[in-house]
Amino acid sequence: MTLFLRLRIPRLPHLLAGAVLGLTGMVACAQSTQSPQSIYTCVDAQGRRLTSDRPILACIDREQRQLNSSGTTMRVIPPALTAAERDAREARQRQADLDAQRARDAIRRDQALITRYPDREAFDLDRKKALSQTQLVVDAADKRIADLGAARKALDDEMEFYRKDPAKAPGKLRIAIEENAQEVEEQRRAIAGQAEERKRINARFDGDLLRLQPLWDAKAAAAKEAAR
């Protein structure tokens, strides 16, 4: 037993030294963890340079800099916005989003147009077809007016018997003449409506043509370039 104790005693100084070194490392690590990793700095309204380990309330209305431990700027913190400034910024963002959406919609519309009308020939053919539909209505109305005119002549001839005293004309005859006149007016309104429809059709196609012409030009230029 005595021999065993004598052999172990020389090792104690080494064990104590290791423990001291370990404890020193733990303290240094704790101190390092507790020390701030960055500092905040700014110049306040009175021109004073302020620093802190957190954002500085006195500089909430002005720019602040966050520095790392070596003094290098990590980031610049802009001034906090007022409620009015935030509203204005949000309004600008909404408008920007709206403009971007409109731009995307315009691109989709242009793509749909160039797909539907790959060239001027297809475009002119579709315009002609749309206008021809209105002409069919006009032609039918003109024919109906002509038929009503012939019917009205027969009614007027019959009314001649009552020229001296129209009040004696049969009610059926007077109603037929009135209905004839009303239908003629309806057909004339239909013709006028188709004239307005033709204007709308031409306006639509004219607007599409303004958008299509640059697309056709770009398509032709691309084809020409690819052929080289």
Side-chain angles (χ1 to χ4, degrees):
M1 177 65 70
T2 301
L3 180 60
F4 175 77
L5 291 175
R6 192 179 299 120
L7 292 174
R8 297 289 294 174
I9 288 173
R11 296 176 58 87
L12 289 176
H14 297 286
L15 291 174
L16 290 173
V20 170
L21 288 175
L23 181 60
T24 302
M26 290 175 64
V27 170
C29 182
Q31 290 176 343
S32 176
T33 301
Q34 293 173 358
S35 63
Q37 297 300 308
S38 62
I39 61 174
Y40 296 83
T41 180
C42 68
V43 177
D44 68 6
Q46 286 72 42
R48 299 173 300 180
R49 170 70 63 178
L50 304 179
T51 58
S52 176
D53 61 351
R54 66 196 65 193
I56 303 169
L57 184 61
C59 291
I60 197 69
D61 61 340
R62 59 197 59 243
E63 183 181 277
Q64 301 187 47
R65 292 181 178 274
Q66 183 181 5
L67 312 178
N68 60 22
S69 58
S70 65
T72 303
T73 299
M74 298 170 59
R75 64 174 177 139
V76 176
I77 305 172
L81 300 179
T82 64
E85 290 171 335
R86 285 195 299 272
D87 291 343
R89 183 177 65 178
E90 291 171 0
R92 289 193 298 271
Q93 185 60 50
R94 286 194 299 270
Q95 185 61 48
D97 293 342
L98 181 60
D99 292 341
Q101 184 60 50
R102 287 173 175 169
R104 290 191 292 270
D105 291 343
I107 292 173
R108 284 195 292 269
R109 287 195 302 269
D110 288 346
Q111 184 59 50
L113 271 178
I114 197 68
T115 300
R116 183 174 182 180
Y117 304 120
D119 51 41
R120 181 62 183 268
E121 182 180 0
F123 177 82
D124 290 341
L125 183 62
D126 201 34
R127 185 203 287 256
K128 183 178 179 180
K129 181 180 179 181
L131 292 173
S132 68
Q133 299 299 317
T134 66
Q135 190 59 45
L136 290 175
V137 176
V138 171
D139 291 344
D142 284 338
K143 184 178 184 304
R144 182 56 182 161
I145 288 174
D147 293 341
L148 289 168
R152 178 60 182 266
K153 186 177 183 306
L155 293 171
D156 289 343
D157 289 344
E158 186 176 349
M159 195 67 180
E160 278 293 317
F161 293 105
Y162 310 98
R163 182 175 56 179
K164 293 181 180 181
D165 191 1
K168 292 182 178 182
K172 183 178 180 180
L173 177 58
R174 291 197 301 270
I175 292 174
I177 291 174
E178 184 179 352
E179 289 178 345
N180 183 284
Q182 289 176 352
E183 189 170 355
V184 168
E185 186 59 31
E186 289 175 2
Q187 296 302 319
R188 287 173 178 167
R189 285 197 297 268
I191 292 173
Q194 291 306 305
E196 291 300 317
E197 180 64 15
R198 290 175 68 87
K199 290 180 182 179
R200 286 192 292 269
I201 290 172
N202 279 318
R204 175 170 62 84
F205 275 89
D206 289 343
D208 288 346
L209 182 59
L210 289 176
R211 292 161 55 193
L212 278 165
Q213 192 60 59
L215 299 176
W216 288 332
D217 292 343
K219 182 179 178 180
K224 184 177 180 180
E225 183 67 25
R228 289 182 180 178

